[in-house]
Amino acid sequence: MFFCAILFVSLINVEIGQGQRNGQQMEEVFRWKQMGYEGLQGLNSPDSITFPSNENDTDTISDFNAYNNIPMGVEHFQGKLFVTVPRRFPGVASSLNYVDLPPNSVNKSPLLKPFPDVQTNKLDVNLQADSRKIVSVYRTRLDECNRLWFVDTGLLEYPVGNLTQVQPPSIWVMNPETGATLRRFEFPATMEQRGNGVASITVDVSSRNCDDAFAYVPDLFYNRMYVYSYRQNKAWTFVHNYFRMDPFQGDFNVVGLQYQWDDGIFSITLGPRQNDGFRDVYFHPMISINEFVVSSRVLQNEENADRVWHGDDFRLLGNRGPGTQSAMHQLDLSTGVMFFSEIGRNAIGCISSAKPLNSQSHAILVQDNERMVYPADLKVDSEGTLWVLSNTMPRYIYSQLNTAEFNFRIWRVSARELIKGTVCDTNGPPESGRIGNNYRHRNSKPPNRF
């Protein structure tokens, strides 16, 4: 039984957890019925928009189909909101985009601006590989050095049954102000060459030494974790049973639609840096209600990836309780609270690091079965603002979007204000900053082999 019951406020207001009645509601910053783009020229009809490189360009690969443009990720950087639209369906105009903040007081449905420009997001008419091009991006993340990281899957996820891998998946690091590419690392042939499951990235770095960055990339399809060293410009692969889905948690009933999903490891978030320089790395499969943890000391040692037995380096942290399947999550170091986008009940949940991770320490902070259907991305920025993007994905896949209604939304709220009065409100993180008192970080260096 959850600590916070649900208070139904009204059909037009976001529902707030019972302990949250005096707290701050989330602000709906942007909303769209369908997505549109700046700088694109219409050809033939308003629904056919391409990227013309010159007046005679008749490229049809990038023909625009507004209905198929489903936003998936959001990231805030100094007056910009990066919004990603992966090429899961035909007719996606541009995969990496942004909108300006603050929002226009009149227009809350702005056109997306391709980033860094239209040409970088334009596909070759013959679908030839081009390392200068961005094919498909799910989510972006800003690091402590103000660099924008993302994984380009390199994949067109259509037609069903005959997916087109245009080029190998790649990790990009960009300047979020200028759009300059600082690094592009293409997955080598020794790693997975299909981009089906690389839908997020988490960056482990200190602003004191930006070259010593590591990126952790979950692969929800192949149940793996890829670790990338920025300094070595090299990546390696971890495999573990904790990366797999829980078959007992795959059934969903959302907006009256019943379906089954099987996504494995989906989201990774980081604890504070410990005295030894390493940190706890928390992760979960989407189809699971468990949270797991491993030390970054383990992940950053390439030799450990070759082990067939990991001992107890990877550990079960706890169980959030029934119905808490989550896409993205983040541990906010300023409050010591881990926030979850809960896809099974259109909600934002939380766990405090001051308490054991279980159903009693979990709270629902916000829930809206009309306007927050499928919270696809969640991020707490450097200013302590929680950003959420919801995109009505189940309705698109299993039914039909109503294009006369608003289907996509971006929300924001002060993370500290949102948790007030709930079980997650503990006035800041405990001294250890670790989720759950049933887990102890092992500072001793694990052996390279077992």
Side-chain angles (χ1 to χ4, degrees):
M1 181 177 181
F2 295 119
F3 181 89
C4 292
I6 301 301
L7 174 66
F8 293 94
V9 180
S10 72
L11 290 177
I12 61 173
N13 289 325
V14 180
E15 300 161 355
I16 305 297
Q18 182 174 344
Q20 178 57 26
R21 278 178 287 183
N22 297 322
Q24 180 176 332
Q25 297 189 25
M26 297 194 77
E27 174 193 0
E28 185 183 273
V29 184
F30 295 112
R31 62 182 184 177
W32 295 270
K33 296 175 182 178
Q34 295 189 88
M35 310 303 294
Y37 297 81
E38 275 192 10
L40 306 184
Q41 176 180 328
L43 296 176
N44 303 324
S45 75
D47 294 326
S48 178
I49 301 178
T50 65
F51 308 130
S53 58
N54 57 62
E55 293 181 357
N56 299 316
D57 191 346
T58 57
D59 175 7
T60 58
I61 287 294
S62 300
D63 281 355
F64 178 61
N65 181 338
Y67 187 82
N68 286 346
N69 283 249
I70 311 295
M72 192 67 66
V74 63
E75 178 69 273
H76 174 226
F77 171 75
Q78 298 180 2
K80 279 181 183 174
L81 271 188
F82 289 96
V83 180
T84 52
V85 184
R87 285 188 164 105
R88 298 186 62 175
F89 315 103
V92 172
S94 173
S95 193
L96 180 61
N97 314 279
Y98 73 97
V99 293
D100 292 313
L101 287 170
N104 186 299
S105 59
V106 177
N107 181 19
K108 294 296 183 70
S109 306
L111 297 174
L112 300 183
K113 300 178 182 181
F115 187 85
D117 51 46
V118 167
Q119 287 300 318
T120 303
N121 284 275
K122 178 184 175 180
L123 298 181
D124 178 82
V125 65
N126 297 313
L127 295 182
Q128 294 297 311
D130 187 339
S131 62
R132 299 167 299 177
K133 303 288 188 178
I134 295 171
V135 178
S136 184
V137 181
Y138 273 83
R139 295 169 180 87
T140 60
R141 284 300 177 256
L142 198 71
D143 72 5
E144 293 183 23
C145 301
N146 283 334
R147 299 175 298 194
L148 187 71
W149 294 63
F150 58 88
V151 177
D152 177 6
T153 71
L155 180 70
L156 302 182
E157 299 182 48
Y158 56 85
V160 175
N162 188 26
L163 311 185
T164 302
Q165 191 72 48
V166 177
Q167 54 201 36
S170 56
I171 294 174
W172 289 61
V173 186
M174 299 183 76
N175 183 321
E177 293 186 85
T178 67
T181 301
L182 306 176
R183 176 74 59 86
R184 181 184 182 273
F185 172 80
E186 194 167 279
F187 283 31
T190 54
M191 296 177 64
E192 185 51 54
Q193 293 289 291
R194 293 298 297 268
N196 302 45
V198 282
S200 68
I201 189 169
T202 299
V203 185
D204 185 355
V205 67
S206 169
S207 59
R208 295 188 299 271
N209 196 339
C210 296
D211 287 339
D212 281 339
F214 287 85
Y216 310 126
V217 179
D219 190 324
L220 63 93
F221 188 85
Y222 292 102
N223 305 304
R224 298 170 182 173
M225 184 193 298
Y226 308 120
V227 179
Y228 169 71
S229 166
Y230 189 86
R231 180 175 292 280
Q232 299 178 59
N233 197 30
K234 186 179 183 181
W236 47 91
T237 304
F238 277 85
V239 178
H240 198 281
N241 281 342
Y242 290 172
F243 300 163
R244 297 180 178 276
M245 59 90 76
D246 181 345
F248 296 101
Q249 304 299 330
D251 296 340
F252 290 88
N253 187 339
V254 177
V255 293
L257 301 169
Q258 293 180 296
Y259 52 91
Q260 288 185 333
W261 282 356
D262 60 0
D263 298 33
I265 181 172
F266 201 93
S267 180
I268 297 171
T269 188
L270 306 175
R273 201 167 300 280
Q274 307 298 329
N275 292 333
D276 61 2
F278 296 98
R279 33 200 326 185
D280 293 332
V281 179
Y282 305 100
F283 64 91
H284 63 246
M286 176 190 280
I287 306 307
S288 174
I289 57 176
N290 292 321
E291 191 71 25
F292 302 93
V293 65
V294 61
S295 171
S296 63
R297 178 191 288 273
V298 174
L299 298 180
Q300 292 175 15
N301 184 341
E302 181 183 0
E303 292 185 357
N304 292 336
D306 295 330
R307 299 182 302 185
V308 296
W309 169 249
H310 288 287
D312 59 355
D313 282 339
F314 293 79
R315 301 185 181 190
L316 172 65
L317 190 64
N319 181 305
R320 297 184 299 273
T324 58
Q325 297 96 328
S326 168
M328 301 304 295
H329 72 326
Q330 183 177 347
L331 174 58
D332 173 29
L333 299 183
S334 66
T335 60
V337 171
M338 188 178 287
F339 295 93
F340 299 85
S341 66
E342 300 189 7
I343 58 170
R345 47 190 178 188
N346 310 314
I348 304 302
C350 67
I351 293 282
S352 170
S353 60
K355 301 177 180 180
L357 196 158
N358 53 44
S359 61
Q360 285 71 43
S361 63
H362 173 274
I364 295 178
L365 298 171
V366 180
Q367 183 179 39
D368 190 325
N369 292 321
E370 292 295 326
R371 297 190 298 161
M372 197 176 280
V373 177
Y374 195 78
D377 201 8
L378 171 152
K379 179 67 188 299
V380 181
D381 66 19
S382 60
E383 301 169 4
T385 300
L386 173 67
W387 295 88
V388 175
L389 182 147
S390 58
N391 66 7
T392 327
M393 178 64 72
R395 188 170 284 145
Y396 176 92
I397 296 175
Y398 301 109
S399 180
Q400 187 172 9
L401 297 180
N402 183 346
T403 58
E405 298 179 349
F406 291 104
N407 295 292
F408 319 122
R409 291 175 167 88
I410 292 177
W411 313 80
R412 70 179 169 191
V413 68
S414 163
R416 191 172 296 278
E417 289 296 320
L418 186 62
I419 62 174
K420 280 186 177 179
T422 73
V423 68
C424 297
D425 186 3
T426 55
N427 298 315
E431 184 177 350
S432 69
R434 300 191 184 103
I435 292 284
N437 61 14
N438 59 335
Y439 168 71
R440 292 191 177 185
H441 174 81
R442 295 191 307 162
N443 288 323
S444 58
K445 184 177 180 181
N448 292 333
R449 313 272 182 184
F450 279 86

